[in-house]
Amino acid sequence: MATHRTKMLIIGSGPAGLSAAIYGARAMMEPIVVQGIQPGGQLTITTEVENYPGFADVIQGPWLMEQMQKQAEHVGTRMMWDTIVDIDIAGGSPFRAVGDGGDEYIADTLIIATGAQAKWLGVPGEQELGGKGVSACATCDGFFFRGKKVAVIGGGNTAVEEALYLTNHSDDVTLIHRRDELRSEKILQERLFKSDKITPMWNKTVERFVAGEDGTLSKLVLKDTQTGEKSELEVDGAFVAIGHAPATELFKGKLPMDGGGYLEVEPGTPKTSIPGVFACGDVMDHTYRQAVTAAGTGCMAALDAEKFLATLDFAAVMPAVEEAAE
Ligand code: NDP
């Protein structure tokens, strides 16, 4: 167990955290990034990225995050393979955080970039069949369903991307959506409707995931949202893609949050209610939630942290200046 002292502690290693680190390191803040349980964040479980500016060709999410991490390290960031399990911020700067192995972090400024995680439906069979046919990540688990029947639940960008990705492995993909209109971007919808491997199933919700004799997923029990009629769909794999929830458990009772659990910040800034504590990326943004906006708010957080640190340094110097003047 060790104690790490830094001017800038960043919790989370997605585009928000790593952009904050790049700016913080270049401002000589010697940032420490605690990577968390999913190093690199959500982009590490996506495949193709074609909306991150700067790349004329399609790039891969994990590759992009690897590049961002290398860039952060090259300019002086320390990456820690750790997960913060406790944090003490009420008393103001310096802040204290504790990692799951007992390491302690003392930081003048804190940047929260913990992101968001996949949501689950919360219906019978879902949890029990996790890893046995039910998943929230097609790019992680799609491979296991080569040549099999799969379904994706949801109607947003994630669901459509997952369905398209699954066509690399399966010729029989059903997209189950609770309405008759997708929420996803039009360009993705076009690709989906063009694919002869994907069948959209409208106005249906999943009531239950059912196991077969071998203990793995065998079918879904569905309910029509218009008529209430029940039906069944035989599948080998089901991918839940219904959005994300912010990873803010650690800050409950410590920082203000909105009804959805997202951290509240001063509008137009990454400032939380505690001076010196900043939030950036998906943990505070339920509207845009893009890699590029996360990177932008990460940059803003580092710039504001630098300003905050300058006020601390000024306050520390002031008494000495006053004494010398007497
Ligand atoms: P979204 O919140 O955009 O979509 C969630 C989908 O799941 C909606 O269609 C919603 O239905 C449906 N849903 C939610 N709860 C339930 C439920 N209990 N039962 C059944 N269906 C449900 O989440 P995404 O993860 O798709 O996207 C999140 C953000 O990330 C978005 O801003 C998206 O644009 C972005 N993103 C961008 C990508 C890219 O640009 N390449 C890739 C992936 C995500 P309904 O429509 O009826 O509300």
Side-chain angles (χ1 to χ4, degrees), residues 16-17 33 85 91-92 121 123 127-128 135 159 162 180 198 213 223 228 274-275 280 292 299 306 316:
V33 172
V85 291
L121 291 166
V123 299
Q127 221 184 330
E128 297 83 332
S135 165
E162 300 257 276
D180 62 1
I198 305 173
E213 276 177 11
K223 185 179 173 184
I274 298 182
C280 52
V292 65
C299 157
E306 199 188 334

Side-chain angles (χ1 to χ4, degrees), residues 51 121 153-159 161 177-179 183 185 205 241-244 287-290:
N51 54 8
L121 291 166
I153 300 122
N157 273 1
T158 305
E161 282 196 345
H177 185 34
R178 63 182 177 184
R179 293 186 294 133
R183 177 183 292 276
E185 289 168 4
T205 51
I242 59 164
H244 294 82
T287 312
Y288 301 104
R289 295 181 293 184
Q290 301 300 299

Side-chain angles (χ1 to χ4, degrees), residues 122-248:
V123 299
E126 183 179 47
Q127 221 184 330
E128 297 83 332
L129 292 170
K132 294 178 191 158
V134 179
S135 165
C137 177
T139 49
C140 318
D141 301 327
F143 182 79
F144 301 118
F145 300 95
R146 259 188 311 172
K148 298 196 170 168
K149 257 181 94 133
V150 292
V152 177
I153 300 122
N157 273 1
T158 305
V160 174
E161 282 196 345
E162 300 257 276
L164 288 167
Y165 173 77
L166 284 166
T167 60
N168 293 319
H169 300 297
S170 165
D171 292 342
D172 192 344
V173 180
T174 305
L175 181 85
I176 301 168
H177 185 34
R178 63 182 177 184
R179 293 186 294 133
D180 62 1
E181 190 188 2
L182 295 171
R183 177 183 292 276
S184 74
E185 289 168 4
K186 293 285 176 280
I187 188 168
L188 289 173
Q189 295 196 25
E190 237 172 62
R191 282 180 209 161
L192 178 106
F193 294 133
K194 260 190 204 153
S195 170
D196 57 2
K197 296 180 180 175
I198 305 173
T199 311
M201 191 179 251
W202 305 116
N203 301 320
K204 297 274 189 289
T205 51
V206 175
E207 286 224 309
R208 210 147 46 91
F209 295 85
V210 182
E213 276 177 11
D214 63 356
T216 65
L217 180 68
S218 72
K219 64 182 178 191
L220 308 177
V221 176
L222 306 170
K223 185 179 173 184
D224 192 292
T225 54
Q226 306 289 302
T227 62
E229 194 186 321
K230 301 266 176 87
S231 58
E232 290 184 353
L233 179 72
E234 283 187 12
V235 286
D236 303 296
F239 295 85
V240 179
I242 59 164
H244 294 82
T248 48

